[in-house]
Amino acid sequence: EADDLELALKDHLELAQPGDTVGVSETVVIMLTGRTVDINTVQPGRLARMLAGYVRPRGEHARGLSVPEKMEYVIRTVGLWRVIAAAVGGALTRPLGMRGTFYRIAGPIARDVDGGPHTPYEHVLLPPLDTKVAQGICADLERALDIGVSIVDLNDFGGSIRAVSPRSLSEKTLAAVLSDNPLGQRLTCTPFVLVRPA
């Protein structure tokens, strides 16, 4: 957490060539730019604890919004009534076999804070980067590194390209190339990936 993002990238991009794009994990960007939220500062209320109890985690290491503090963060960020509407929508559509209604109504923050870190970073929340903030970080890193930069939010279930710098490969190209999640979760946890046009 004390590492500097720009220096960390410079130290490990000796293979980079003009035309390359470095895809940096959004988690790494959030951590190395001081944008984490101490989980102890987010005391969950009754609604957050209740709603968290209905969330079905995707696996042992992907507890997501089943963590009451994460649910409380979403309530505070997107608003109480929107979360209530999302919960009602999810409750009504789940018996019909429709999944993801809560996240569609609650919005991208609910989806993006869902993944979250695990040991040894279980003491922090990782709020997703605002698009304009992410674009600014990409542009600053591009000037420092002299190659294209993108911030990527990927996992084994999918993901998205949060932002790209002017010289980066396009979001569409990066999404296709990185769709198999080469950064990995749980096993490799690679902080960034170098993408080179064929």
Side-chain angles (χ1 to χ4, degrees):
E1 292 171 292
D3 288 347
D4 179 271
L5 179 59
E6 182 181 318
L7 292 177
L9 289 168
K10 281 182 175 178
D11 286 348
H12 295 91
L13 285 175
E14 59 274 354
L15 295 177
Q17 298 176 4
D20 289 354
T21 295
V22 61
V24 187
S25 162
E26 183 180 37
T27 298
V28 170
V29 174
I30 292 167
M31 292 183 70
L32 298 190
T33 58
R35 289 178 165 84
T36 60
V37 174
D38 185 336
I39 201 166
N40 294 316
T41 66
V42 184
Q43 295 299 320
R46 268 188 301 188
L47 178 63
R49 288 193 297 271
M50 183 190 76
L51 291 177
Y54 288 102
V55 175
R56 296 180 185 156
R58 286 182 166 174
E60 180 185 346
H61 299 290
R63 294 182 54 214
L65 293 183
S66 69
V67 177
E69 290 83 359
K70 290 183 182 181
M71 184 65 78
E72 180 66 29
Y73 179 84
V74 171
I75 292 170
R76 293 181 189 182
T77 305
V78 305
L80 174 65
W81 295 111
R82 186 170 177 179
V83 170
I84 289 173
V88 170
L92 292 174
T93 57
R94 184 180 280 181
L96 304 174
M98 296 172 63
R99 304 238 177 247
T101 302
F102 177 90
Y103 297 98
R104 283 190 290 278
I105 296 173
I109 287 178
R111 182 195 67 231
D112 293 343
V113 81
D114 193 339
H118 46 83
T119 305
Y121 301 109
E122 66 277 2
H123 64 287
V124 295
L125 296 178
L126 303 173
L129 293 170
D130 175 78
T131 301
K132 287 185 179 179
V133 170
Q135 288 170 340
I137 292 170
C138 285
D140 290 344
L141 288 173
E142 178 180 274
R143 284 189 290 274
L145 303 172
D146 202 31
I147 60 170
V149 177
S150 63
I151 296 175
V152 300
D153 176 28
L154 303 170
N155 58 46
D156 295 334
F157 305 102
S160 62
I161 308 303
R162 181 71 65 211
V164 296
S165 69
R167 289 167 43 198
S168 168
L169 293 168
S170 71
E171 289 184 30
K172 182 178 178 182
T173 298
L174 289 169
V177 169
L178 302 175
S179 63
D180 61 346
N181 190 23
L183 281 79
Q185 259 63 39
R186 296 185 297 277
L187 299 178
T188 57
C189 295
T190 309
F192 52 87
V193 61
L194 200 59
V195 182
R196 178 169 297 154

